[in-house]
Amino acid sequence: MSLLAGACLAAASCSDSDEDTKLPSPNFPEAVSATIEAGGTYTLEIEPNQNWEVSVPTATAAWFWIQDETQKVWTLRGGAGWSPALWNGALFAMRIGARGQSMVNLKTDNTGQNPSAETERLSVEDILNGGANDYNPAAHLSVGTSSAPLDDTRTRFNRSHMASLNNLRKLSEDYQLSSSLTWGYDRLASDRAARQSWYLADGTRVDTEQESAASCRQQLSARIALKANTERFYMLEKLEASLAWNDLRAVLSGSYPNRQRAEAPAYGIENDLKYIRRTGTRSLTVTSYLKYLTRPQSLDVVRETGSQRQTIADRAFYMNHNAAFGTQAGQFAFAFKGGVSALFRGLVTDLTGTGLGTGAANDLSAGYAGVYLQPGITYRSQRLRLTLDLPAGYRRYGLHDRIDGSRTPAGIFTWKPRFAVKWSPTGHLSLSASGTVGRDAADDSRIGNGAVLRNYRSVLCGVNEYRQALQRSLSAGIAYKNPIGGVFASLLAVRSWNDLPFLPAQRFDGDYIVNYYVRSSNRVRSWYLSGDVSQNIDALNGQAGLNVGYNLSGTELLLEEVPASYENSTLTVAPRFNFRFAAWVNTEYRLEYRYTTLSIRGREPDGRHDFNQRLTVNLVPSKKWVIQFTAEHYYSQLSADRSKHLLLADASLRWKINGKWEATATAANLFGREEYAYTTFDGVSSSSYRYAIRPRNILLGASWKF
């Protein structure tokens, strides 16, 4: 069996001259054919209790046939347009045989799409683990092209390419070996302006900036995996290596004109092993995760008054090994999980040219080694489910600062019991509640008290100390569902209190904003409320719904050594409608209204209104024609007396000429709008942004299958 769909790959460079489960043994029927929707999965029944699943990447149209013998099927897809010159193309090929399968995926684009996004993998196991088997430290540098809260295709001025090769080989009835090699290239340009206001005790400070930036990111990754799925056990062993290069150049004017150049590569290798053995009502799961990561990075800033340089050498080795045993006795289920974890990290940084009155270097080794236990019990009946989890652990931390010769050991116990209850008095109604309290492990992301220049004016100073936060939360929810009546409703409320061991602080030092921490208790309080209701409307062959959300958080920081208590809140109201007025007409409408406020003790609250709405109309006059119209309206309140409207419209046409040919035409930003503006609140400051958006453009495309 073969599967192929879509067309071309272009060369790329980062030079300054650029402008811009177990597989069954198949017993194929005489002939089967089907069409897979982009981003979907189609299941083929080969024999009773023997199904094959084929998934197709998002944004890839695909056709496939299964016959007695392997077939070669092609689909070539590409497009070109103007204002400015545009292109996109894709080639997707899959071959499936009795002993294995292979897939090739090639894409190129400069229309705002991101081909590399298709290479990002998130398995069911990743979701269930909640990221426990991974280590992704926070970035040191805060530079790069940014985008507005619009669809990426509106603000991405790109030149992107992607190529991937995937193979799967069936070694035996129970074992299979897979491999993949992926390369991605993404060159982005951005044009934005910003106005930031800090609300100080003695007045308001306002800074402006205009940024023109270009970034070039390349990534090469290789992966090999061995899977066993036998009657006795399941095993998955994965080894992956990743090399990423990310370069940025930016020119800024405004309050602090400068030129920036950043190089932020990251190289890593990781191994992930999972083994599951089940006997009756008992199961044993063993997992092992190892990762090594190195990030040699640098930032250069050139001003009229001089230059600054930040160098960073960050290396880390992380491991997490555990075993879990589960059993069931009547209506009770018991789970026991225990393991060991460790982190070894080296950080060397050096900052020159700033003249800051603080340490400008780090040279330290840090990390921990620990053990943990996670026992749990669950009771289930027809109407009631009770869960109690009692995780606990111990970590021994160490920190060696080679600059001052100090050593800072720390032993920390972690504990965080959690209970949850769910009661379903009827088949339509369910009520739930949960609560947790305890102390997690210490946050090691802020280790290193030497100054690090994150961008041209933001400096971060961490702490050489390990301390825990006390976390508490309560939640309650109610849900109602009546599929026959087409009514669905839910309500959720979450209240949390977190006592942090450090108080964030901020001060202005010449051209720089210095962020640091003070050892002091700091309580973060938050409310989260969410409600959703939907109703089928048979008369209109559709559905109407409404979502309402409210989020409130409050804390304290030191601003210019003056305590400042503040609260941020957001109210969201989002109605939606989806109607089919006729067999060939479908309409969807969505609106999202937001009201955000910033309340600082001693000052009048500051609020902003904004909303966006989207209308989509799909017309299918015949099996060969599909016509789509889309309109979007954005309203942003920039200040107390300034607001801005933005109206965008797109249209597309798809014509299935015959069984082999298909033609498309797309017109984007029909009104020729040039920019989008909005305002946000961040702590005790507000920021107004203006982003350039892609101009009016037309793209013509065609696809051919053979």
Side-chain angles (χ1 to χ4, degrees):
M1 182 177 80
S2 292
L3 172 65
L4 295 102
C8 57
L9 180 69
S13 73
C14 287
S15 65
D16 295 335
S17 62
D18 290 338
E19 294 181 358
D20 305 10
T21 28
K22 172 181 175 183
L23 291 176
S25 300
N27 181 19
F28 296 126
E30 218 171 271
V32 177
S33 68
T35 300
I36 305 179
E37 296 293 333
T41 298
Y42 192 84
T43 302
L44 301 172
E45 184 174 337
I46 308 300
E47 285 185 345
N49 301 318
Q50 268 193 7
N51 299 330
W52 277 36
E53 289 189 353
V54 178
S55 299
V56 179
T58 304
T60 300
W63 299 262
F64 72 88
W65 289 260
I66 295 181
Q67 294 183 349
D68 307 67
E69 300 178 357
T70 300
Q71 300 291 313
K72 294 181 179 180
V73 183
W74 288 73
T75 297
L76 189 66
R77 188 183 69 196
W82 60 93
S83 186
L86 302 173
W87 76 81
N88 68 11
L91 170 64
F92 177 77
M94 176 182 279
R95 179 186 181 278
I96 300 179
R99 302 298 300 178
Q101 66 184 43
S102 58
M103 182 175 66
V104 176
N105 198 5
L106 308 175
K107 283 202 168 189
T108 181
D109 181 89
N110 78 333
T111 68
Q113 304 290 336
N114 184 10
S116 296
E118 296 182 8
T119 66
E120 299 176 359
R121 295 183 296 269
L122 185 63
S123 67
V124 175
E125 295 171 350
D126 296 328
I127 298 174
L128 295 177
N129 286 330
N133 284 355
D134 200 359
Y135 174 70
N136 292 303
H140 295 289
L141 303 180
S142 180
V143 295
T145 56
S146 55
S147 60
L150 295 174
D151 188 286
D152 279 349
T153 58
R154 299 289 190 189
T155 59
R156 279 176 53 88
F157 293 83
N158 70 308
R159 186 180 300 172
S160 307
H161 318 286
M162 184 272 291
S164 68
L165 174 64
N166 298 267
N167 289 281
L168 184 148
R169 183 69 179 174
K170 193 175 180 183
L171 304 178
S172 68
E173 187 68 19
D174 300 322
Y175 290 82
Q176 65 182 40
L177 183 68
S178 63
S179 62
S180 67
L181 182 65
T182 303
W183 171 79
Y185 171 96
D186 200 20
R187 179 175 175 86
L188 298 176
S190 71
D191 179 13
R192 70 160 189 160
R195 184 178 186 273
Q196 189 166 11
S197 303
W198 285 271
Y199 303 107
L200 308 177
D202 57 352
T204 302
R205 174 169 177 164
V206 179
D207 291 335
T208 63
E209 70 175 27
Q210 294 81 43
E211 178 189 78
S212 178
S215 69
C216 177
R217 177 177 175 85
Q218 292 193 76
Q219 184 166 0
L220 180 66
S221 63
R223 178 175 177 260
I224 186 169
L226 175 65
K227 180 189 286 187
N229 191 13
T230 74
E231 294 181 355
R232 298 180 296 117
F233 68 89
Y234 169 88
M235 188 267 294
L236 180 61
E237 160 68 20
K238 297 185 294 184
L239 177 64
E240 183 171 2
S242 176
L243 307 174
W245 303 266
N246 192 8
D247 300 330
L248 172 109
R249 293 173 176 85
V251 178
L252 291 97
S253 58
S255 302
Y256 306 96
N258 67 87
R259 300 175 67 91
Q260 295 183 84
R261 178 171 181 174
E263 297 179 354
Y267 316 124
I269 184 169
E270 60 186 279
N271 188 86
D272 197 356
L273 170 65
K274 178 172 238 181
Y275 175 88
I276 303 174
R277 190 180 186 97
R278 184 181 294 275
T279 305
T281 59
R282 301 177 180 179
S283 66
L284 174 66
T285 302
V286 178
T287 63
S288 174
Y289 179 81
L290 301 166
K291 183 173 185 176
Y292 176 77
L293 178 67
T294 180
R295 299 184 292 175
Q297 303 180 351
S298 65
L299 171 64
D300 292 279
V301 181
V302 179
R303 312 170 187 261
E304 293 183 356
T305 57
S307 61
Q308 297 79 46
R309 178 171 177 79
Q310 175 72 70
T311 59
I312 301 170
D314 187 6
R315 302 173 306 279
F317 176 74
Y318 172 79
M319 65 179 184
N320 186 7
H321 314 297
N322 58 70
F325 174 76
T327 186
Q328 189 168 341
Q331 295 178 304
F332 291 90
F334 302 90
F336 305 91
K337 183 177 181 179
V340 296
S341 64
L343 172 66
F344 306 97
R345 185 178 180 188
L347 178 64
V348 179
T349 72
D350 187 52
L351 174 59
T352 59
T354 62
L356 293 171
T358 185
N362 290 287
D363 187 357
L364 53 87
S365 299
Y368 66 84
V371 298
Y372 58 90
L373 294 174
Q374 298 178 1
I377 182 173
T378 300
Y379 169 83
R380 289 188 177 93
S381 67
Q382 185 177 1
R383 301 290 186 188
L384 182 66
R385 186 177 72 181
L386 300 171
T387 301
L388 177 63
D389 295 318
L390 299 170
Y394 175 79
R395 284 185 179 183
R396 184 65 180 180
Y397 288 87
L399 189 152
H400 179 199
D401 192 329
R402 283 181 286 270
I403 294 180
D404 61 14
S406 64
R407 296 180 180 270
T408 311
I412 290 178
F413 289 93
T414 63
W415 53 276
K416 199 173 183 180
R418 175 184 177 273
F419 81 90
V421 56
K422 183 177 181 180
W423 178 47
S424 303
T426 70
H428 298 302
L429 182 67
S430 66
L431 295 93
S432 61
S434 67
T436 184
V437 60
R439 297 185 182 272
D440 278 332
D443 182 8
D444 61 358
S445 64
R446 59 170 66 94
I447 294 300
N449 56 14
V452 175
L453 185 67
R454 306 191 69 210
N455 54 47
Y456 76 97
R457 68 171 316 200
S458 178
V459 176
L460 177 63
C461 300
V463 294
N464 282 0
E465 190 175 1
Y466 295 104
R467 297 181 66 84
Q468 294 172 282
L470 176 61
Q471 302 175 332
R472 293 159 291 184
S473 68
L474 292 172
S475 69
I478 182 172
Y480 175 84
K481 58 181 180 180
N482 184 354
I484 297 178
V487 181
F488 302 87
S490 64
L491 181 65
L492 175 66
V494 181
R495 179 72 162 124
S496 66
W497 309 261
N498 296 327
D499 292 332
L500 308 181
F502 299 102
L503 183 66
Q506 193 176 80
R507 72 171 189 269
F508 295 90
D509 191 337
D511 294 348
Y512 303 98
I513 303 171
V514 181
N515 298 277
Y516 60 103
Y517 300 93
V518 176
R519 184 173 173 178
S520 177
S521 179
N522 178 32
R523 173 166 290 188
V524 179
R525 311 164 305 279
S526 68
W527 271 103
Y528 174 77
L529 303 173
S530 178
D532 189 90
V533 60
S534 64
Q535 170 69 66
N536 291 345
I537 304 177
D538 297 335
L540 297 176
N541 296 310
Q543 186 184 74
L546 174 67
N547 180 269
V548 179
Y550 178 75
N551 186 56
L552 171 68
S553 64
T555 188
E556 186 177 18
L557 61 74
L558 287 179
L559 187 57
E560 292 285 274
E561 300 185 354
V562 178
S565 297
Y566 66 93
E567 287 185 341
N568 292 118
S569 67
T570 302
L571 171 66
T572 305
V573 181
R576 60 188 184 275
F577 309 94
N578 190 334
F579 300 133
R580 185 179 295 276
F581 297 103
W584 56 279
V585 182
N586 182 71
T587 302
E588 183 181 33
Y589 173 80
R590 293 180 176 269
L591 182 146
E592 184 175 330
Y593 164 82
R594 290 180 302 274
Y595 179 65
T596 58
T597 62
L598 169 61
S599 300
I600 304 174
R601 187 173 56 192
R603 298 179 63 99
E604 288 292 325
D606 193 2
R608 298 285 188 272
H609 301 269
D610 67 89
F611 68 84
N612 62 80
Q613 50 186 333
R614 177 185 177 95
L615 175 66
T616 303
V617 180
N618 294 294
L619 307 177
V620 190
S622 72
K623 293 182 178 181
K624 291 188 175 184
W625 294 88
V626 178
I627 305 169
Q628 184 180 88
F629 298 98
T630 302
E632 299 175 78
H633 173 224
Y634 297 86
Y635 169 82
S636 302
Q637 186 178 0
L638 305 180
S639 64
D641 55 356
R642 293 177 59 240
S643 61
K644 190 162 185 137
H645 293 268
L646 174 65
L647 183 62
L648 301 170
D650 307 317
S652 67
L653 173 67
R654 187 175 70 187
W655 177 29
K656 296 182 179 180
I657 303 173
N658 52 43
K660 293 184 177 182
W661 286 93
E662 181 177 289
T664 60
T666 302
N669 193 3
L670 292 172
F671 300 126
R673 302 299 189 238
E674 297 180 348
E675 64 179 39
Y676 172 65
Y678 68 101
T679 294
T680 64
F681 294 113
D682 182 15
V684 293
S685 66
S686 65
S687 301
S688 297
Y689 299 97
R690 178 202 59 82
Y691 285 87
I693 60 178
R694 299 182 65 90
R696 179 191 298 116
N697 61 83
I698 297 175
L699 186 70
L700 305 178
S703 64
W704 172 66
K705 66 177 180 177
F706 171 78

